[in-house]
Structure formats: structure tokens, C-alpha cells
């Protein structure tokens, strides 16, 4: 219990480890496509960015008394910035604190992606809840948010090709979102190109009946909020040059003050010719998922807070509060959230997570990229991690002969990766060959997993056995000197005698 002082700083709403400044603060980080960050000291210093660095024009405003302030995004209309007093980053939550005139405003961005081994469909459902709390006034405070439709495109100029914005209204029944805006391209070239941003699929902005959502040009909508002349907005909105999803809500202590952000990939992965849908589609499409998120929001939030506390406590115990703070960021970025998307393989009846090589060449499930992430996965979600390895082990010699799929892999060592996100189609001869390193990585990870899951739960290993023996035999045959080998530092090219022992050494310590 020597940890108590760290908790006081890291937990319930107080400042985090001192002098901690994250390079970028996660806002809406749920999959490689749905990954928005603020890379400034203050949330009002500039536009949020996709992880690629592309700016996304999101703006948030708030009216206190007769003054309108900005709480999110770049300067607009000479409006003053709300004063940011703190930002707190936890594994599933980012919390901004502002002083806005006489009022304290807290904005939470919560992506409740945890408990993958208990509730995978929910944990992998990419919804971020944005929740507002005010103190210091009894009057409602008006909050405005808008999100550019280019959030759902590959590039900013793509609207030239046409962009559809569809207003969906779902009739309310108990505890449901009753308003959702859907943003996306008209063309919807499903998996039509591989890029770090998707130009198919739909971005959702959803909320319940206490708020109001609409589609507009940002200039008009922001001005209408500032001047309170929305009614005229309907009449004058003709300009379809740039579309924004907009939202306007009154925040008070007696209403549920939140909205939801989501990206529906429609197809999560194209695996050797077969389109795999996002796992969460099994529970219904976007509106159903948003309604479930709304219905269970408070329960999920409580559970997420428990999860964050447990993980932060473990990290702090391992190496102190700074390590815990970094761990919270890593969980969002590299861990089970920002780098993976979980698909449903109808053919095999399994959930298959895939990991994207971010800030690199976009490879799918690169073994030497999974390897450095694996201690975290093994710790928080070993079964999820096992599922991540399954698609890598399919092939002629591999798991159930490709699980009935036409997987062109026939080498006697482990693959390097599966394809370029989101298309897995790499044949054996097209691999970036790292035979010794990747076979070693796979054997080490599977051994660690078997150890972690215990002798009672290793039945799954049976179907892996032939491929494991093939890889192990290959490693033995490469002894005592593997010759020239490519390793994860592939910019060096193949090096003599290289077996990249570093991971093995770090495993021992
Ligand atoms: C709203 O009011 C402002 C200030 O009077 C004005 O400039 C603007 O054109 C009005 N907007 C609409 C849509 O009428
Ligand atoms: C917020 O409150 C104002 C003033 O009471 C009202 O005019 C406006 O319609 C409300 N907005 C929403 C979205 O309910
Ligand atoms: C939203 O904020 C309110 C006020 O702080 C809090 O009571 C509620 O639990 C929060 N809900 C969610 C889903 O974050
Ligand atoms: C693997 O398949 C390719 C054709 O896709 C073939 O050229 C190669 O000889 C095969 N290699 C082995 C080891 O069977
Ligand atoms: C306008 C505003 O809120 N500026 C704040 C930016 O963040 C620093 C701390 O990082 C505050 O001191 C400023 O007040």
C-alpha cells in the first residue's frame, strides 16, 4: 500500500505524474482508421490529427453567460480559448479540465476497450464516448461540436469526387440514441485502395434527444451557434462545398451530457480473397451498437474506471508513476486499441484480430511488430493475443491447412506479415523473408502464451503442432550459424550471423 500517494495523483480527476507532457494526447483512438489525437499543449491550440499527422477539422465551442469560448480545435471567429487547467491520460480515458469564465468544464474522451477476453464483441466495438461535466453554475451551459466529413475520407480534396452525408433518425425506445449523423464518401470503394486513411466506411456522430445534430458547412454552423440563429440556418444552407457533422447540446447536472464517435469499417479485412466483417457487426450494425453503448454507458464507465485503476496500480508497482503514465499512453496507442481491428471469420467461426504496422508501411500483423507489443497483450488479454496469432499460422503446413481458405503459404519458416492493411494476400515468395527471427518470435510468443494460460488450457496447441515442429526444425537446421539474415532493423539489409538475440535476452531478464 506504499502506492497510495501515486493513486492520489494518478486517479480520480487529479493531476497526473508531474512534468508529464504526452507528445500527442489520444482523443478518439479505437482502430488504425479511427485514431484521432491532439498534439498540442492545449486542446485549443490547433486541429486534432489522424495518426498520419493529417489535420482533421474538429471544433468545439461552449457558451457561458453571453460569451462563447473554444474548447477544441483551431482558432475560429476570434473566439477566446477556454483555459485548460489539466489533462489526465488513463488507459481508456482522456480527461481535459477547463476554466471557462466562472464555470469549470471537464471533457472526457472514453474508449472502453478492455476485458477483451470476457466481452470481445463489446471491447472491440470502436465507439468513443465524449462526456461533459460542469460545476460552478446552476444554469445549463451550451456546448457545440463539429467534425469535418474529411474525417471519413482518404484525403482532404476528395470531396471533389463527391461526399454523401446522410442524416439518420432512429425512433426512440428506452435508453437509445435517437440521432445519428453518418459521414462518408459517395463512391465507397470498399477496400478499393490501401491507405492509412480509409475512403470507404462511415463516420458516425450520435447522441440522444436532449441534443440536436445536423449537417452544415462549418462556417455557417459555427456562426449560427455564436449568434443563436439556427432557424435561419435551415433556410440558407445551400453551400454543399464542405460538409460537417454538427452537434449542439445543453449541458447541465441533470441531463446525460454526452455524444458518441464511431467509424464503421464495413469490411475489417480482406483475408486471402474473403471479406471479413468487423466482429461487432455480429451484434447488429452501427445504430444498434451506438444504442447499446448509450444504454450501457454508465456501467461501462464504472468498469472502465476499475480497469484503469487496476492497470495503473500494477504499472506503478512495477516501476513507479511515470512508468504507469507511459503505460496508459502505450495501452491506447500500441496496445489493444489503436493498432488492432477485430474481424469475424464466418468460415472458421472465429474472431480474428489483426494488427497494423503504424507509421511504417502499413503491413498487416507483422510478426516482429507484434513481438514488442506482446508483453502488454499477454498481460491484459492473453486469449485475445492467441487469436491475433491464428491468422499468421494458416498455410499449407499450418493451422488446419489454412482453415479451408486458399492461403498461399508453403515455407518451412514463419511468415513476416500477411499483406498491406486491410488486404491479406501475400504469397510465400512475396514475403519480406526474416526466417530465423520470425520463427523464433512465433515460438517464443506461443511458448509464453501456453505458460501464461496454464496446462489446463493448451488444447489449442494441438492444431498448431505440425507448424510449430516445422518452424523449430528449421531453426535447428540453421544452427550453428544462420548465415546472412534480415531482422526487424531491415533498413540495414541482411547481416551475417544475425539472429537478433535482443528479444531473447530481454525475455530472460
Ligand atoms: C446570424 O447572425 C449573424 C450576425 O447577425 C449574421 O452575420 C449571419 O448571417 C446570421 N446567419 C444566418 C444563417 O442568418
Ligand atoms: C439549449 O437551451 C437554450 C436556452 O434555454 C434553448 O434555446 C436551446 O434550444 C437548447 N438547445 C438544445 C439543443 O436543447
Ligand atoms: C458523464 O459525466 C457525469 C458527470 O460527471 C457522470 O456522472 C457520468 O457518470 C458520466 N458518464 C459517462 C458515460 O462518462
Ligand atoms: C511454394 O509455392 C510456390 C508457388 O506459389 C512454388 O513456386 C514454390 O516452389 C513452393 N515452395 C515450396 C517449398 O513448396
Ligand atoms: C489558453 C490556455 O488555456 N492556455 C494554457 C495552455 O496550457 C498551459 C499549460 O500547459 C497553461 O498554462 C495555459 O494557460
Amino acid at each position: 500500500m506504499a502506492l497510495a500517494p501515486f493513486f492520489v495523483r494518478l486517479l480520480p480527476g487529479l493531476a497526473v505524474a508531474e512534468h508529464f507532457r504526452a507528445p500527442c494526447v489520444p482523443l478518439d483512438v479505437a482502430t488504425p482508421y479511427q485514431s484521432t489525437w491532439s498534439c498540442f499543449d492545449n486542446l485549443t491550440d490547433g486541429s486534432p490529427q489522424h495518426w498520419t499527422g493529417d489535420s482533421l477539422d474538429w471544433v468545439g465551442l461552449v457558451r457561458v453567460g453571453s460569451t462563447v469560448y473554444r474548447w477544441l480545435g483551431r482558432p475560429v471567429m476570434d473566439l477566446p480559448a477556454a483555459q485548460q487547467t489539466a489533462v489526465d491520460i488513463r488507459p481508456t480515458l482522456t480527461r481535459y479540465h477547463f476554466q471557462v469564465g466562472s464555470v469549470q468544464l471537464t471533457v472526457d474522451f472514453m474508449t472502453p476497450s478492455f476485458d477483451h477476453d470476457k466481452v470481445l464483441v463489446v471491447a472491440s466495438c470502436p465507439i468513443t464516448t465524449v462526456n461533459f461535466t460542469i460545476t460552478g453554475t446552476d444554469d445549463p451551459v451550451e456546448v457545440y461540436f463539429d467534425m469535418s466529413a474529411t474525417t471519413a475520407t482518404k484525403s482532404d480534396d476528395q470531396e471533389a469526387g463527391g461526399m454523401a452525408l446522410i442524416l439518420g433518425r432512429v425512433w426512440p425506445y428506452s435508453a437509445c440514441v435517437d440521432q445519428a449523423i453518418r459521414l462518408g464518401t459517395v463512391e465507397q470503394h470498399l477496400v478499393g485502395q490501401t491507405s492509412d486513411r480509409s475512403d470507404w466506411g462511415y463516420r458516425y456522430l450520435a447522441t440522444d434527444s436532449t441534443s440536436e445534430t445536423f449537417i452544415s458547412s462549418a462556417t455557417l454552423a459555427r456562426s449560427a451557434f455564436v449568434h443563436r440563429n439556427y432557424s435561419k440556418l435551415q433556410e440558407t444552407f445551400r453551400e454543399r462545398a464542405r460538409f460537417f457533422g454538427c452537434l449542439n447540446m445543453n449541458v447541465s447536472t441533470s441531463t446525460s451530457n454526452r455524444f458518441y464517435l464511431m467509424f464503421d469499417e464495413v469490411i475489417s479485412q480482406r483475408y486471402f480473397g474473403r471479406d471479413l466483417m468487423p466482429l461487432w457487426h455480429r451484434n447488429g450494425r452501427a445504430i444498434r451498437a451506438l444504442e447499446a453503448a448509450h444504454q450501457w454507458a454508465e456501467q461501462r464507465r464504472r468498469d472502465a474506471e476499475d480497469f484503469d485503476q487496476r492497470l495503473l496500480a500494477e504499472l506503478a508497482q512495477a516501476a513507479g508513476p511515470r512508468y504507469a503514465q507511459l503505460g496508459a499512453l502505450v495501452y491506447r496507442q500500441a496496445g489493444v486499441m489503436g493498432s488492432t481491428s477485430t474481424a469475424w471469420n464466418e468460415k472458421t467461426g472465429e474472431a480474428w484480430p489483426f494488427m497494423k504496422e503504424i507509421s511504417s508501411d502499413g503491413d498487416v500483423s507483422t510478426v516482429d511488430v507484434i513481438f514488442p507489443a506482446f508483453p502488454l497483450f499477454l498481460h491484459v488479454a492473453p486469449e485475445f493475443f492467441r487469436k491475433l496469432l491464428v491468422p499468421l499460422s494458416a498455410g499449407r503446413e499450418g493451422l488446419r491447412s489454412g482453415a479451408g481458405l486458399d492461403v498461399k503459404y508453403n515455407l518451412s519458416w514463419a511468415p513476416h506479415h500477411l499483406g498491406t492493411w486491410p488486404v491479406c494476400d501475400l504469397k510465400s515468395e512475396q514475403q519480406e523473408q526474416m526466417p530465423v527471427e520470425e520463427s523464433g518470435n512465433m515460438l517464443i510468443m506461443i511458448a509464453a502464451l501456453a505458460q501464461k494460460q496454464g496446462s489446463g488450457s493448451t488444447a489449442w496447441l494441438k492444431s498448431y503442432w505440425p507448424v510449430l515442429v516445422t518452424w523449430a526444425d528449421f531453426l535447428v537446421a540453421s544452427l550453428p550459424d544462420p548465415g546472412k539474415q534480415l531482422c526487424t532493423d531491415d533498413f540495414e539489409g541482411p547481416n551475417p550471423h544475425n539472429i537478433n538475440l535482443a528479444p531473447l535476452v530481454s525475455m530472460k531478464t
Side-chain angles (χ1 to χ4, degrees):
M1 288 301 103
L3 290 171
F6 302 146
F7 282 115
V8 175
R9 288 220 308 278
L10 278 168
L11 298 171
L14 298 175
V16 291
E18 282 164 70
H19 310 304
F20 179 77
R21 195 277 191 192
C24 292
V25 178
L27 302 180
D28 175 25
V29 180
T31 66
Y33 287 136
Q34 184 179 341
S35 186
T36 304
W37 305 71
S38 171
C39 304
F40 302 100
D41 288 330
N42 301 303
L43 191 56
T44 50
D45 285 346
S47 292
Q49 305 173 11
H50 188 258
W51 68 257
T52 50
D54 295 349
S55 282
L56 301 174
D57 197 6
W58 294 13
V59 163
L61 307 176
V62 56
R63 187 193 326 275
V64 174
S66 57
T67 311
V68 176
Y69 300 82
R70 293 182 297 115
W71 60 267
L72 165 76
R74 66 190 173 88
V76 289
M77 299 173 71
D78 291 329
L79 299 172
Q83 192 184 350
Q84 185 173 313
T85 51
V87 55
D88 186 358
I89 303 167
R90 307 186 197 165
T92 66
L93 173 85
T94 296
R95 175 170 293 170
Y96 280 97
H97 301 262
F98 299 99
Q99 182 70 42
V100 197
S102 58
V103 167
Q104 293 85 47
L105 171 72
T106 305
V107 187
D108 287 354
F109 293 85
M110 180 185 68
T111 314
S113 178
F114 62 96
D115 270 355
H116 291 67
D117 287 354
K118 285 190 202 138
V119 283
L120 183 54
V121 178
V122 178
S124 65
C125 185
I127 296 180
T128 294
T129 303
V130 185
N131 193 39
F132 299 84
T133 311
I134 48 159
T135 51
T137 178
D138 291 332
D139 300 327
V141 160
E142 277 179 86
V143 167
Y144 168 91
F145 168 81
D146 69 43
M147 176 172 74
S148 162
T150 56
T151 309
T153 66
K154 186 173 65 160
S155 59
D156 287 353
D157 54 10
Q158 220 178 343
E159 91 208 276
M163 188 173 303
L165 296 165
I166 298 152
L167 178 66
R169 261 175 208 281
V170 177
W171 298 112
Y173 56 90
S174 66
C176 65
V177 296
D178 70 347
Q179 305 182 56
I181 284 179
R182 196 170 90 149
L183 308 172
T185 59
V186 168
E187 273 85 6
Q188 291 291 312
H189 287 306
L190 276 177
V191 199
Q193 42 81 30
T194 55
S195 157
D196 287 330
R197 285 168 60 187
S198 159
D199 71 349
W200 70 88
Y202 298 100
R203 263 278 177 182
Y204 286 84
L205 169 62
T207 185
D208 65 16
S209 58
T210 60
S211 312
E212 165 176 271
T213 55
F214 55 98
I215 289 164
S216 178
S217 92
T219 324
L220 284 176
R222 291 167 192 168
S223 158
F225 179 79
V226 171
H227 301 293
R228 307 186 106 151
N229 53 8
Y230 278 111
S231 49
K232 289 193 189 148
L233 181 67
Q234 299 302 333
E235 296 152 30
T236 54
F237 177 53
R238 298 270 185 279
E239 179 204 339
R240 296 208 160 236
R242 283 214 175 273
F243 295 108
F244 280 68
C246 310
L247 173 140
N248 183 10
M249 66 164 66
N250 285 330
V251 172
S252 76
T253 42
S254 57
T255 52
S256 75
N257 309 313
R258 53 184 192 260
F259 65 84
Y260 304 91
L261 298 171
M262 172 185 220
F263 180 65
D264 181 356
E265 300 172 336
V266 183
I267 289 174
S268 198
Q269 209 72 209
R270 180 164 287 169
Y271 187 84
F272 293 92
R274 176 172 289 267
D275 285 345
L276 311 182
M277 65 183 179
L279 176 66
W280 60 266
H281 276 202
R282 296 202 78 205
N283 275 8
R285 294 301 167 99
I287 299 297
R288 279 286 301 279
L290 287 160
E291 277 173 357
H294 188 55
Q295 187 168 4
W296 300 106
E298 294 301 337
Q299 181 63 45
R300 233 14 220 161
R301 178 184 155 109
R302 280 193 293 277
D303 294 347
E305 283 180 349
D306 288 349
F307 171 81
D308 286 356
Q309 295 215 9
R310 272 201 315 278
L311 184 59
L312 288 172
E314 286 169 342
L315 292 167
Q317 188 158 34
R322 283 163 184 272
Y323 184 71
Q325 183 63 80
L326 274 180
L329 262 184
V330 167
Y331 186 81
R332 285 289 251 298
Q333 180 192 18
V336 288
M337 302 171 78
S339 67
T340 65
S341 171
T342 302
W344 172 245
N345 187 339
E346 219 168 335
K347 174 102 181 172
T348 65
E350 292 167 316
W352 279 12
F354 294 86
M355 184 192 277
K356 177 163 175 166
E357 195 170 333
I358 300 261
S359 299
S360 176
D361 44 13
D363 290 351
V364 186
S365 292
T366 308
V367 174
D368 55 284
V369 170
I370 293 175
F371 191 79
F374 112 85
L376 174 68
F377 280 71
L378 194 65
H379 183 68
V380 296
E383 177 57 16
F384 177 73
F385 181 61
R386 184 187 74 75
K387 293 183 164 87
L388 178 68
L389 297 183
V390 170
L392 278 162
S393 312
R396 196 185 74 187
E397 304 284 341
L399 183 69
R400 280 164 295 145
S401 302
L405 301 164
D406 186 21
V407 181
K408 304 259 187 301
Y409 193 83
N410 61 1
L411 301 173
S412 50
W413 52 83
H416 173 269
H417 67 291
L418 294 169
T420 303
W421 195 274
V423 181
C424 304
D425 62 352
L426 216 58
K427 301 187 179 112
S428 317
E429 62 274 18
Q430 298 168 324
Q431 284 285 332
E432 184 180 346
Q433 308 292 0
M434 287 186 196
V436 166
E437 173 159 342
E438 306 299 33
S439 303
N441 285 344
M442 286 299 284
L443 291 174
I444 290 166
M445 291 191 289
I446 288 171
L449 189 56
Q451 207 169 39
K452 171 94 179 179
Q453 295 200 314
S455 53
S457 34
T458 48
W460 61 271
L461 269 175
K462 276 214 181 88
S463 53
Y464 276 79
W465 208 249
V467 76
L468 297 185
V469 169
T470 309
W471 293 343
D473 285 349
F474 166 75
L475 285 181
V476 171
S478 73
L479 293 171
D481 186 335
K484 279 195 160 199
Q485 288 285 327
L486 193 65
C487 78
T488 192
D489 294 330
D490 51 4
F491 43 84
E492 294 268 354
N495 307 149
H497 325 299
N498 187 349
I499 57 164
N500 195 13
L501 273 177
L504 289 169
V505 173
S506 65
M507 284 295 295
K508 279 188 83 174
T509 51

